[in-house]
Amino acid sequence: MSSCYPLIAQEIADLEVAHRKTSVKRYADRLKTVYLPGKGWSVTQVAKSLMIDRETVRNHYKRYRKGGLSALQKFEVGGSKSFLNELQKQALDQHLHKNLYLTAKEIAHYVEQTWGISYSESG
């Protein structure tokens, strides 16, 4: 077991159950960022396997330690008011589930091309 990211048997079991029950990929990935280091994986191994930054792995573990499973389910991070209406947000969400973008800049370009909303307008 990793000394930096210890989990007790009950936590491991709870993470496994939550992972089996969820259909939300983003939440499932967050569960894995806590579960895998608890099973002895290094932060680097987890980051590479989930294609995320090492700091993201650390942040999810800290969030879990502070607020448990429910903290991993919260996706709000603050930020500014959205320039997309609800229909546009739903359409973007569906588009992102079907298409892989490697950077936020690529997503911003898609939004600009699709709805004429540019990042420079929001800044």
Side-chain angles (χ1 to χ4, degrees):
M1 179 179 284
S2 172
S3 60
C4 293
Y5 299 94
L7 296 173
I8 62 172
Q10 185 60 55
E11 290 173 315
I12 294 282
D14 292 345
L15 288 161
E16 289 171 347
V17 168
H19 189 268
R20 274 193 304 275
K21 287 183 175 182
T22 190
S23 61
V24 179
K25 182 189 178 309
R26 195 169 169 194
Y27 179 49
D29 284 349
R30 287 182 179 189
L31 292 166
K32 287 181 262 190
T33 64
V34 175
Y35 177 82
L36 293 171
K39 295 292 279 183
W41 285 41
S42 73
V43 170
T44 300
Q45 289 172 316
V46 174
K48 283 183 180 180
S49 69
L50 296 176
M51 295 186 284
I52 59 176
D53 186 79
R54 292 176 355 159
E55 195 59 33
T56 301
V57 175
R58 292 183 191 99
N59 287 338
H60 289 324
Y61 184 86
K62 288 177 194 173
R63 184 176 296 124
Y64 171 75
R65 274 290 165 237
K66 193 172 186 176
L69 292 173
S70 62
L72 295 177
Q73 289 177 310
K74 295 179 182 171
F75 298 111
E76 322 75 44
V77 292
S80 59
K81 178 184 169 291
S82 175
F83 285 85
L84 299 177
N85 64 37
E86 283 306 312
L87 285 175
Q88 291 168 329
K89 285 189 241 181
Q90 290 173 8
L92 179 59
D93 185 56
Q94 290 174 3
H95 178 78
L96 293 176
H97 276 86
K98 294 176 185 172
N99 299 277
L100 175 65
Y101 290 91
L102 299 179
T103 66
K105 190 174 184 176
E106 291 174 339
I107 297 169
H109 179 74
Y110 171 79
V111 168
E112 183 174 6
Q113 295 300 308
T114 305
W115 295 292
I117 300 170
S118 71
Y119 179 74
S120 60
E121 289 175 19
S122 62

